[in-house]
Amino acid sequence: RKEVEQDPGPFNVPEGATVAFNCTYSNSASQSFFWYRQDCRKEPKLLMSVYSSGNEDGRFTAQLNRASQYISLLIRDSKLSDSATYLCVVTSTSGTYKYIFGTGTRLKVLA
Amino acid sequence: DAGVTQSPTHLIKTRGQQVTLRCSPKSGHDTVSWYQQALGQGPQFIFQYYEEEERQRGNFPDRFSGHQFPNYSSELNVNALLLGDSALYLCASSLSRGSYEQYFGPGTRLTVT
């Protein structure tokens, strides 16, 4: 079983739609969680950290469910510019915060 | 405030050759991590450097080695290149204390022929 699993998609949604991605992780002792956004042939950019209480940044909401070992990302009112690959990241427990990435979920927002 | 920079941006090498990639971290950051990203995959952790030492290593052979300099910049060296080493190599910098958020450079795209 992969350490971090994501549905690769693609998710094709119309502008204005709400879309949600889930990501599951296998190590229950994982400490920190992030969502990154990656545009085609570019570097990953930090979208948001994911906190136990859940957190929101504008149209984006991230949630963590430690009991079920998954994190989620909700995007409301999708824009064309949201089209990208969304990478789920879980850190290792070694104390050095090695990032473990999922394979990413592709989102395409259609006009 | 300069972000993470990497050089070169693109590189073409032949099987068996050696390559050195370079990274300068974001201002104020002291930790550098290297990742390999193959097409269609998420980045895979190679190793992390802090205080000029390799602090943790991923599942990569000894052909992959690195170095961190006193100014926190870092190099990734790959010896005896294989076709399968063709990938985007990403450097990320972070602080050794705090939120541990990592910020990525634009990457070096290595093609091995």
Side-chain angles (χ1 to χ4, degrees):
Chain A
R1 184 185 170 188
K2 286 185 180 178
E3 291 181 271
V4 179
E5 296 204 61
Q6 292 183 255
D7 180 343
F11 285 57
N12 295 321
V13 302
E15 264 187 297
T18 296
V19 61
F21 309 135
N22 283 337
C23 165
T24 59
Y25 60 95
S26 60
N27 189 339
S28 60
S30 297
Q31 296 181 8
S32 299
F33 309 87
F34 305 93
W35 283 102
Y36 278 75
R37 171 201 167 119
Q38 186 172 30
D39 293 291
C40 188
R41 301 180 75 82
K42 299 284 192 181
E43 75 273 23
K45 289 193 191 305
L46 178 64
L47 183 63
M48 56 201 304
S49 303
V50 187
Y51 304 120
S52 296
S53 54
N55 48 302
E56 189 173 307
D57 183 2
R59 298 181 293 109
F60 299 84
T61 300
Q63 300 256 332
L64 167 63
N65 185 319
R66 285 192 184 271
S68 301
Q69 293 178 215
Y70 76 83
I71 68 173
S72 64
L73 177 69
L74 182 79
I75 306 175
R76 288 181 298 278
D77 188 22
S78 300
K79 312 287 185 196
L80 294 175
S81 57
D82 293 333
S83 297
T85 295
Y86 291 83
L87 294 160
C88 167
V89 177
V90 173
T91 61
S92 68
T93 59
S94 65
T96 60
Y97 287 81
K98 157 188 162 184
Y99 271 19
I100 303 166
F101 282 83
T103 54
T105 297
R106 279 181 53 210
L107 170 67
K108 192 166 185 179
V109 181
L110 307 170
Chain B
D1 181 20
V4 181
T5 59
Q6 290 186 245
S7 63
T9 53
H10 295 85
L11 206 49
I12 300 174
K13 291 285 190 179
T14 305
R15 270 180 300 177
Q17 286 189 313
Q18 178 262 344
V19 69
T20 297
L21 310 181
R22 295 177 176 82
C23 170
S24 289
K26 187 175 162 67
S27 178
H29 283 186
D30 57 6
T31 302
V32 173
S33 303
W34 286 93
Y35 295 83
Q36 179 196 67
Q37 186 175 24
L39 209 57
Q41 301 296 315
Q44 299 291 311
F45 176 78
I46 303 175
F47 40 54
Q48 185 179 84
Y49 277 85
Y50 169 67
E51 291 190 337
E52 302 179 51
E53 289 192 1
E54 183 183 289
R55 193 156 74 166
Q56 191 176 11
R57 189 178 182 90
N59 191 24
F60 279 79
D62 292 345
R63 298 186 297 109
F64 289 77
S65 63
H67 190 78
Q68 185 179 34
F69 299 94
N71 67 353
Y72 307 119
S73 67
S74 177
E75 287 182 350
L76 163 65
N77 300 292
V78 187
N79 293 323
L81 285 166
L82 303 173
L83 294 179
D85 295 331
S86 296
L88 179 66
Y89 288 84
L90 294 159
C91 165
S93 76
S94 56
L95 280 169
S96 55
R97 286 176 286 279
S99 66
Y100 300 98
E101 292 171 350
Q102 295 186 13
Y103 295 86
F104 286 81
T108 293
R109 191 163 298 279
L110 172 65
T111 302
V112 182
T113 62

